[in-house]
Amino acid sequence: MAPTVILVRHAQGLHDPELTELGRDQCRQVRDKLVPRIPKDFDVGLIIVSPMKRTIQTALLMFGELIERGVPIMAHAGWQENGVQPCDIGSSIDELKAMFPQVDFSQVDPVFPDKSSPEAAFYHETKSAIINRGQTVLIELRERPEKAVIVVSHSGFLRLGCTGHWFMNADWRVFEFEEGEEVKLRQWEETKAGGMGWSWEETVPLGHGLPEP
């Protein structure tokens, strides 16, 4: 059976160096609301993070208690943000390893943080590339053995590559995979406005507004 998926947008950040004080407070609010439900409502067996400083800091602040209990945290380049602006280009893996020794970086694509060369075509900021990346990471998630997985990622990729839903800073949504060959997500009714109630209920088509090559 495919895992339940909790998709989380990172808290407010100063681009990619670190979270703002408001972002840290958002993390505390989410931690206090969501973590007590684990494992009662969500039997989380893995935390996946985009290998960016703001997403990793968010995961550690929100879910540090779970990590201390032994839930592994793994970085995955497929969950990084869409753009090629400086704030959306990650740091070197060596730098991230030194800053965040709790995180497993062993599975990060060696091309990271490149997002513009021909070798990094999977991460290009085009409609087709981002939809393809979204489908790829969701298929990987659907095939994982855990009962529930938390993913901490970015608003643009979560909305335009994966779900069509808006994610405000630090908000989260819960999804189940529908049966069938096609990758489809069904959202829990209680998170239609986000788990914290901070997000819009309107949806957009995947890839909406993204450029083509």
Side-chain angles (χ1 to χ4, degrees), residues 7-138:
L7 298 180
V8 185
R9 180 189 175 183
H10 65 80
Q12 186 186 77
L14 294 166
H15 296 301
D16 206 41
E18 57 185 76
L19 300 180
T20 64
E21 188 51 48
L22 173 59
R24 293 175 180 274
D25 182 61
Q26 291 167 339
C27 289
R28 288 188 284 268
Q29 292 182 61
V30 174
R31 178 196 63 201
D32 292 346
K33 183 169 184 177
L34 182 54
V35 171
R37 299 182 61 180
I38 301 167
K40 179 169 62 72
D41 298 324
F42 307 107
D43 189 3
V44 173
L46 177 67
I47 301 165
I48 297 175
V49 290
S50 161
M52 307 282 285
K53 293 175 184 176
R54 60 187 181 272
T55 42
I56 297 171
Q57 287 179 331
T58 295
L60 296 178
L61 286 170
M62 287 183 182
F63 308 117
E65 180 181 335
L66 302 182
I67 296 165
E68 290 175 0
R69 291 185 209 165
V71 176
I73 177 169
M74 177 183 77
H76 191 312
W79 291 95
Q80 65 184 297
E81 185 57 297
N82 300 338
V84 292
Q85 297 81 6
C87 62
D88 294 327
I89 301 295
S91 304
S92 73
I93 293 300
D94 286 342
E95 180 180 350
L96 294 174
K97 284 180 178 178
M99 292 183 67
F100 306 110
Q102 313 95 312
V103 179
D104 176 7
F105 292 97
S106 64
Q107 303 302 309
V108 175
D109 188 338
V111 77
F112 181 85
D114 180 11
K115 296 170 75 173
S116 56
S117 73
E119 293 74 22
F122 184 66
Y123 305 101
H124 284 184
E125 190 185 15
T126 64
K127 182 177 181 178
S128 56
I130 288 170
I131 291 176
N132 175 63
R133 177 155 62 94
Q135 289 291 293
T136 299
V137 295
L138 288 176

Side-chain angles (χ1 to χ4, degrees), residues 119-195:
E119 293 74 22
F122 184 66
Y123 305 101
H124 284 184
E125 190 185 15
T126 64
K127 182 177 181 178
S128 56
I130 288 170
I131 291 176
N132 175 63
R133 177 155 62 94
Q135 289 291 293
T136 299
V137 295
L138 288 176
I139 289 170
E140 290 179 0
L141 263 189
R142 186 178 62 178
E143 295 173 352
R144 291 207 61 90
E146 295 84 7
K147 293 181 180 178
V149 176
I150 293 171
V151 179
V152 183
S153 184
H154 306 265
S155 61
F157 182 62
L158 290 174
R159 181 175 72 256
L160 302 178
C162 298
T163 72
H165 292 281
W166 294 85
F167 288 74
M168 299 309 173
N169 282 128
D171 216 350
W172 48 278
R173 297 177 182 271
V174 182
F175 297 89
E176 306 282 355
F177 286 98
E178 295 187 357
E179 297 292 333
E181 292 187 11
E182 188 176 354
V183 180
K184 288 187 177 181
L185 294 171
R186 180 180 67 257
Q187 184 174 194
W188 283 24
E189 187 67 30
E190 72 170 271
T191 65
K192 286 296 179 69

